[in-house]
Amino acid sequence: MKKISFLILLFLSTVFNVAAQKIQSPSEFLGYKLGDQFTPHHRVVDYYKYLSTVSKHIKLQEYGKTNEGRPLILAYIASENNINRLEEIRKNNLSLAGISDQASAPIAKTKTADQPVIVWLSYNVHGNESVSTEASLQTVYELLNPANQETKSWLNNTVVLIDPCLNPDGRERYVNFYNPIKNLIPDALPFTREHMEPWPGGRANHYYFDLNRDWAWQSQVESQQRLAVYNKWLPQVHVDFHEQGVDEPYYFAPAAEPYHEVISAWQREFQTIIGKNNARYFDAKAWLYFTKERFDLLYPSYGDTYPIYNGSVGMTFEQGGSGRAGLAIITAEGDTLTLKDRIDHHFTSGLSTVEASSKYADRALSEFSNYFVKSKTSPPGEYKSYILRGDNPEKLKTLSTLLKRNGIDFGYGASKSVQAFNYFTGKNESVKVSKSDMVISAYQAKSVLLKVLFEPNTFVSDSATYDITAWSLPYAHGIQAFASKESLNPLLSSPERETKSINKVENATAYVANWNSVTDVKFLGDLLKRNIKVRFSEIAFESAGNRFDAGSLIITRNGNLALGANFENVIYDLAKKNGIDLVPMASGFVDKGADLGSDKVRLIKKPKVVVIGGEATSSLAFGEIWHFFEQQINYPVSIVRSQDLNRIDWSEINVLILPSGNYADLSNEKLIQWVRGGGKLIAMGNAVSQLAEVKGFDIKIKEEAKKDEKGLDPYKFIKTYENRERESILNNTPGAIYKIDLDNSHPLGFGFPNFYYSLKLDDQVYQYLNEGWNVGVVKKNNYVTGFVGAEAKKKTVDGLIFGVQDMGNGSVVYLSDDPLFRSFWESGKLLFSNAVFMVGN
C-alpha cells in the first residue's frame, strides 16, 4: 500500500512539474494563430514579459523608449547557469576584446573555456517589414520551450540576445494602417487597398529616418539607446532580419561584393558556414533562396556592417514581402505568399544561426579575441594616427560625442610633429599638434571602425554597391584633419584652449557671438524665440582687439530696450545654456569693418517656417528637416501637406521649404507673389529641378555639351546582357564627396572657409545663375572620393550646386545637394541654417 501511495505521489509530482514547465506558445498567449494577424507592439511586449515570469532561462531589459514613448526591450536567453551570471559573461566578453567598462580599471585576461558565444538577433528595424517581430515570438518560444532538446543543448554554450522590434513607432504605423482595413478573408490581389500603404509608410521611425542607415551615426534616439547596450556586449554573431520585394525569394549570407577590405577571413568564412547551414534547412523544405548578390558589406552604418567593423560576424537576412505583402499576396509567379510562410522562413534561419554559432562557439570566441588583439597591436591601413584641429571647439565637441558613442578612444595634444596627409589639400605635410587638437591613435580595440570612418578614400572592390561609397568624418564634419603613418599618443584627456582675456564692459552697446556651428544656430533660435532682436554683419570687423567673421551674431542693447535692466542677464543665461562665449562691445564704433549702424549690419528677421510634407515629398527628406528643427535646434516649424498649399495664410509665414519630392504644380501664382512680396523659398534636392521648369525661376538644368556625330563611338550601344548592371552604373553616383567652391561672403556661405565638402547623390548640376548668386559651384577636378560612374563624372563639372535668386523683395534658395543627409553630414547643417536664418535679410 505504501508503495502504491509513493507511486501515485511520484506520478502527481511529475504531472505538476510538467505543468509548471509548460510555456504558452505565442498563439496560445495571444489567442490567435501566429500569422493570422499582425500583433500590436504592446502585445509583443506582454508576451516577452510573460515568458520572463514562467521561464528561468530568460531575462528582460528595457533599454530605452522611442520618440512616441514605446518601450525598447532586449531579451537575454541562456542556460540556467549562464542566465544567473550574465554580467560576468558580459565583462568577460569585453575583456576578450581588450575593453573595460571603466577606463581606469585593469583589463583581466579571460579564457574562452567557460565563456559562451554571444548571438544577437535584431528584428524589425524597418517598421513595415513586419514579419520580423512575429518571427521573433516563435523564435524566443522555441529557445525556451522545455520540450525542445535541440535548443536546450545550444544554450549550454550560447547566450542569445533578442531585440524583437528595433522600430516600434514605424511598426505601429504599419499595423495601425493594415489591421483596420483588412478584409475578413485577406485579399491576396496585389492591387487592392490592403497592399497600398499610405505615405509615409511604416519603414522609418517617428521622424521618418531609416534606422538601418543609422548604426554608426546614431542620430536617432532608438539608435543611441540600442548602441549603448550593443557596445557593452559586442556579440560574436549578429543577424539583422529584413524583408524585400514580394517576388524575391529568401536571401541570406554570404553577402555580395564589395566587401570592405578590413573584413577578416574568419568573418567571410563564418558567413559561408551559417549560409550553408541555412541552406540545409531551406533545401529540406524546397524553399528558394539566393546568396552573394545585391547586399554588400561596405557602408558602415548598416545592421550587418557596423557589427562586422566591431568584431562580429554581421549578416542581413531578407524575406520577400515587406509593406506590400499584408497577410497574403499573389506573387508574379501566381503563388500566394502568406504571413505564416514569411514567419517560418525567418524562424528557420534564426534558429539555424544559433545552431551554427553553438557548434562553432570555440572558434568564434578565439577568432573574436584574435580580432581585437590584432586591432590593438597591428591596426589596419596605412594611417596610425589622426589629428583634428581644435579651432572650432563646437564642431570638435560634436565629433567627440559621436566617437564616444562608438567606443573610439581619443585625447588631445601630442609631444611631437609628424608628417601627415592633409584631408583638405590632399597633400602630405609637416603637422605641429597643439593642445586643443584632437589626437586619435589607431592602436586601440576599435581601430577597424576608426579606419573605416576616417579613411580619406574607401577602396571599392566592386562598383555595384547598395549605398553611398564615401562618408569620411573629417569631410562630413568639415573639420581640418590630418592622417599620419606615424604613431601618436595623446597627452591630455581634455583640450587645453587659449583663454583670451575679455575686458568687462559696463552697459555694453552690444554683445557678439561667433557663427560657425549648429551650437550657434541653437543660440540664435533661443534668442529669436524670446523675441530678442539679433543682427549680423555682412563683412568681417574688428573691435578692441577682437576679430569677428562675417555672419557673427550681434545683439544690440538698442532695439532690445524692452528687456530693460534684465538685458545682460537674459543674454548671458541663453549663452551659458548653449555654451556660447559672448564678447561685449563698449561702442558701436569699430576699428575695422562696418560700424554697428551701417547698412552692412543687418537685422535677422524671425523665421516663421513652413515645411511641405505629405505624399508629394520624400518622407526621408522631409524627416531630416523635421528632426533638425525639433530635435537639434529646438525651433518651431509648421508642417503643411502639399495638397494644402493653397490653404496657407501667406501673411503668417516668411520661409517655405520644399524637401526633395515630386510636386504636381509649382507654378502656383500665390506662391510666386508671396516670394516677390518678401518671402523666402528654399528648394532642396529634386525640388530644384522641378523649379527649373517653372517660369519666373532662373534656375536651369545644365545640358550636356553635344558632340560632333563624327566623333561618336559607332559601337557605343553594343552591350553584353550579362554586364547590364555594370553598364547601368556608368551614369550612377551612389554617394561621393565633392569639394564645392563656396562664396563665403554671401549669407548662404557664412561660417565656412571658401569651400564646402558636399555628398553628391546624383550627377545633377545647374547652369550658373545670370541674375542671382552662384554661391556653391563645382568646377573641374572638384571630385574628392567615392564611386562615380564614368559618364556621371563627366557631367559633374562646371555648374551650380547651391545658389540664391533674388525675386522682387524675396529670395529663392537652391540646395540641389542634400545638406542634412541622414543627419550625419554635420557641416551641411550650418549651410541649411544659413538658408533659413541668414539669407534674405
Side-chain angles (χ1 to χ4, degrees):
M1 186 67 180
K2 287 181 178 179
K3 186 175 182 181
I4 293 172
S5 298
F6 174 76
L7 290 173
I8 291 172
L9 287 172
L10 183 63
F11 171 75
L12 290 174
S13 174
T14 303
V15 170
F16 288 142
N17 283 336
V18 170
Q21 289 181 17
K22 168 133 176 84
I23 297 175
Q24 288 184 349
S25 69
S27 299
E28 291 169 328
F29 180 86
L30 296 169
Y32 53 85
K33 288 184 179 179
L34 199 62
D36 281 357
Q37 68 181 67
F38 289 109
T39 308
H41 182 258
H42 72 276
R43 294 292 287 147
V44 173
V45 174
D46 287 345
Y47 184 61
Y48 275 86
K49 285 181 177 178
Y50 157 75
L51 292 175
S52 69
T53 64
V54 298
S55 174
K56 55 190 177 184
H57 297 286
I58 180 173
K59 286 188 178 179
L60 279 190
Q61 175 188 4
E62 182 179 316
Y63 65 84
K65 290 190 182 296
T66 68
N67 285 291
E68 296 174 16
R70 294 185 177 89
L72 296 162
I73 64 170
L74 191 61
Y76 300 84
I77 302 101
S79 66
E80 186 174 357
N81 175 54
N82 286 335
I83 203 74
N84 292 321
R85 63 182 194 100
L86 284 177
E87 185 62 7
E88 176 192 338
I89 290 169
R90 184 187 70 79
K91 288 184 176 180
N92 285 346
N93 193 64
L94 286 186
S95 69
L96 286 176
I99 297 172
S100 173
D101 279 342
Q102 292 83 31
S104 59
I107 299 168
K109 291 184 178 180
T110 303
K111 295 180 180 179
T112 61
D114 195 33
Q115 180 73 6
V117 67
I118 298 166
V119 178
W120 187 310
L121 307 178
S122 291
Y123 297 88
N124 233 144
V125 69
H126 292 146
N128 61 3
E129 297 178 8
S130 44
V131 67
S132 300
T133 293
E134 309 289 341
S136 85
L137 299 175
Q138 190 65 36
T139 303
V140 72
Y141 168 70
E142 286 300 339
L143 286 171
L144 296 174
N145 184 358
N148 192 325
Q149 296 304 310
E150 270 195 310
T151 59
K152 192 179 290 185
S153 68
W154 302 338
L155 293 180
N156 287 329
N157 67 348
T158 309
V159 172
V160 180
L161 281 66
I162 291 181
D163 190 329
C165 189
L166 279 66
N167 182 9
D169 292 350
R171 177 181 166 82
E172 284 300 274
R173 193 183 307 127
Y174 176 76
V175 172
N176 289 334
F177 144 72
Y178 188 85
N179 282 347
I181 60 95
K182 67 182 176 65
N183 287 0
L184 185 61
I185 299 173
D187 193 335
L189 292 172
F191 51 79
T192 57
R193 71 171 181 167
E194 291 187 26
H195 309 291
M196 300 299 173
E197 190 182 1
W199 190 94
R203 177 182 175 89
N205 75 340
H206 171 82
Y207 280 107
Y208 307 164
F209 271 71
D210 184 336
L211 294 179
N212 191 42
R213 270 80 175 169
D214 195 46
W215 281 73
W217 320 133
Q218 299 173 47
S219 72
Q220 300 302 290
V221 66
E222 296 91 345
S223 306
Q224 292 165 13
Q225 294 170 114
R226 182 178 72 257
L227 269 300
V229 181
Y230 185 93
N231 279 302
K232 288 182 178 179
W233 276 92
L234 295 179
Q236 280 75 44
V237 178
H238 180 267
V239 180
D240 201 21
F241 291 88
H242 286 263
E243 289 187 80
Q244 53 190 331
V246 294
D247 298 318
E248 304 285 353
Y250 202 90
Y251 164 83
F252 49 74
E257 291 287 352
Y259 279 57
H260 195 286
E261 60 186 336
V262 298
I263 296 174
S264 71
W266 164 248
Q267 287 171 323
R268 286 174 174 262
E269 180 185 348
F270 201 43
Q271 281 217 345
T272 302
I273 289 170
I274 290 174
K276 287 182 176 180
N277 204 50
N278 288 343
R280 182 166 62 90
Y281 286 102
F282 276 58
D283 289 341
K285 297 190 178 184
W287 293 340
L288 294 179
Y289 54 87
F290 68 99
T291 66
K292 303 182 289 293
E293 295 180 61
R294 193 177 308 155
F295 303 105
D296 61 71
L297 296 176
L298 187 69
Y299 174 68
S301 208
Y302 282 139
D304 53 9
T305 51
Y306 183 86
I308 280 178
Y309 300 146
N310 282 277
S312 179
V313 176
M315 293 164 289
T316 291
F317 291 174
E318 296 265 358
Q319 164 62 45
S322 199
R324 285 207 63 212
L327 294 178
I329 190 168
I330 298 171
T331 68
E333 294 186 352
D335 298 321
T336 299
L337 175 68
T338 68
L339 180 59
K340 179 67 169 63
D341 297 330
R342 293 149 64 198
I343 291 171
D344 286 346
H345 300 160
H346 267 342
F347 164 69
T348 300
S349 65
L351 287 191
S352 168
T353 299
V354 176
E355 179 187 43
S357 301
S358 174
K359 183 178 179 180
Y360 286 84
D362 291 343
R363 175 87 186 276
L365 289 165
S366 174
E367 293 286 354
F368 178 81
S369 178
N370 291 340
Y371 179 95
F372 285 101
V373 168
K374 188 175 180 182
S375 293
K376 297 183 80 170
T377 59
S378 181
E382 60 179 324
Y383 297 122
K384 305 308 177 187
S385 56
Y386 302 89
I387 304 151
L388 295 103
R389 288 293 186 218
D391 50 7
N392 190 319
E394 290 88 359
K395 283 188 176 183
L396 211 57
K397 185 177 179 182
T398 299
L399 179 62
S400 71
T401 299
L402 179 64
L403 297 178
K404 286 175 184 176
R405 284 176 175 161
N406 284 292
I408 294 174
D409 297 329
F410 60 90
Y412 298 87
S415 59
K416 62 178 181 178
S417 297
V418 292
Q419 288 293 313
F421 170 83
N422 185 329
Y423 282 76
F424 283 6
T425 66
K427 298 176 181 178
N428 287 300
E429 57 190 67
S430 179
V431 178
K432 186 177 180 180
V433 186
S434 79
K435 291 182 179 179
S436 64
D437 294 339
M438 179 183 285
V439 174
I440 311 173
S441 170
Y443 291 88
Q444 59 171 293
K446 292 295 189 85
S447 66
V448 173
L449 182 63
L450 172 66
K451 183 233 190 292
V452 173
L453 296 183
F454 275 79
E455 56 193 357
N457 294 287
T458 299
F459 172 74
V460 182
S461 62
D462 189 323
S463 51
T465 60
Y466 197 64
D467 211 289
I468 65 173
T469 57
W471 49 78
S472 185
L473 289 182
Y475 298 126
H477 284 248
I479 298 176
Q480 174 70 77
F482 305 87
S484 177
K485 297 178 182 179
E486 297 182 51
S487 175
L488 272 182
N489 290 314
L491 297 174
L492 308 167
S493 59
S494 58
E496 276 188 16
R497 310 207 183 280
E498 233 182 274
T499 53
K500 191 173 183 181
S501 60
I502 297 173
N503 296 327
K504 288 189 176 181
V505 176
E506 295 291 333
N507 296 317
T509 296
Y511 292 89
V512 187
N514 284 324
W515 179 262
N516 57 22
S517 74
V518 174
T519 305
D520 306 317
V521 179
K522 289 176 66 177
F523 177 52
L524 173 60
D526 281 350
L527 292 167
L528 295 177
K529 285 186 293 183
R530 292 287 300 269
N531 292 317
I532 295 169
K533 291 180 180 176
V534 186
R535 292 169 166 79
F536 68 85
S537 175
E538 290 184 340
I539 60 174
F541 65 98
E542 293 182 17
S543 175
N546 297 298
R547 187 183 190 280
F548 303 101
D549 292 330
S552 295
L553 304 179
I554 304 168
I555 310 149
T556 59
R557 186 180 298 275
N558 185 281
N560 289 302
L561 297 177
L563 293 175
N566 288 325
F567 175 67
E568 275 86 5
N569 289 338
V570 171
I571 303 305
Y572 272 113
D573 284 349
L574 291 177
K576 184 178 179 182
K577 170 189 167 186
N578 289 284
I580 297 295
D581 294 325
L582 289 177
V583 179
M585 290 181 63
S587 170
F589 185 94
V590 303
D591 301 325
K592 289 184 180 180
D595 295 329
L596 298 194
S598 166
D599 63 1
K600 290 184 174 59
V601 176
R602 316 286 292 181
L603 182 69
I604 298 174
K605 287 181 283 190
K606 181 179 179 179
K608 299 174 185 176
V609 184
V610 161
V611 181
I612 298 299
E615 293 180 1
T617 63
S618 157
S619 61
L620 297 176
F622 166 80
E624 292 166 356
I625 300 167
W626 186 22
H627 182 265
F628 179 72
F629 277 106
E630 289 204 342
Q631 294 296 322
Q632 296 178 62
I633 65 170
N634 190 26
Y635 192 83
V637 61
S638 298
I639 298 163
V640 174
R641 298 181 306 171
S642 56
Q643 60 264 41
D644 295 327
L645 198 61
N646 282 321
R647 297 188 180 189
I648 291 177
D649 182 348
W650 296 100
S651 66
E652 289 293 324
I653 70 168
N654 54 27
V655 177
L656 179 69
I657 301 174
L658 293 174
S660 192
N662 187 17
Y663 299 94
D665 182 17
L666 291 178
S667 58
N668 185 305
E669 189 57 35
K670 288 183 179 178
L671 168 63
I672 294 173
Q673 288 304 317
W674 169 78
V675 175
R676 291 189 178 280
K680 178 163 55 183
L681 178 65
I682 302 174
M684 303 177 68
N686 62 14
V688 177
S689 64
Q690 290 169 68
L691 287 180
E693 306 297 323
V694 179
K695 185 179 180 181
F697 295 95
D698 290 345
I699 194 77
K700 301 298 175 196
I701 295 172
K702 182 187 173 190
E703 295 182 5
E704 290 187 77
K706 292 182 180 179
K707 295 180 180 177
D708 187 339
E709 287 188 12
K710 292 180 181 178
L712 291 177
D713 180 0
Y715 307 114
K716 179 179 180 180
F717 300 106
I718 300 176
K719 301 173 184 177
T720 306
Y721 183 72
E722 69 173 351
N723 291 332
R724 60 193 182 279
E725 283 189 36
R726 297 288 174 272
E727 294 288 344
S728 68
I729 64 176
L730 291 173
N731 292 293
N732 196 20
T733 308
I737 298 172
Y738 275 75
K739 187 174 185 177
I740 305 300
D741 288 64
L742 197 68
D743 176 6
N744 62 2
S745 71
H746 191 280
L748 186 58
F750 282 169
F752 288 93
N754 61 1
F755 56 86
Y756 164 80
Y757 288 96
S758 188
L759 186 67
K760 285 205 65 62
L761 303 170
D762 57 40
D763 60 5
Q764 195 74 274
V765 293
Y766 295 85
Q767 294 179 18
Y768 299 125
L769 296 171
N770 290 329
E771 299 297 327
W773 305 102
N774 299 290
V775 182
V777 300
V778 60
K779 298 177 181 177
K780 292 181 176 65
N781 302 320
N782 280 47
Y783 163 81
V784 177
T785 184
F787 175 76
V788 183
E791 295 300 317
K793 189 174 280 190
K794 291 177 188 176
K795 287 176 63 178
T796 314
V797 295
D798 295 331
L800 173 74
I801 305 298
F802 307 121
V804 177
Q805 173 190 346
D806 297 326
M807 184 185 285
N809 292 322
S811 53
V812 183
V813 182
Y814 302 110
L815 304 176
S816 69
D817 285 353
D818 182 0
L820 299 180
F821 184 71
R822 294 180 187 167
S823 195
F824 93 89
W825 205 257
E826 283 292 331
S827 64
K829 294 173 183 177
L830 182 63
L831 189 79
F832 176 78
S833 299
N834 283 339
V836 174
F837 292 96
M838 293 295 184
V839 172
N841 291 301

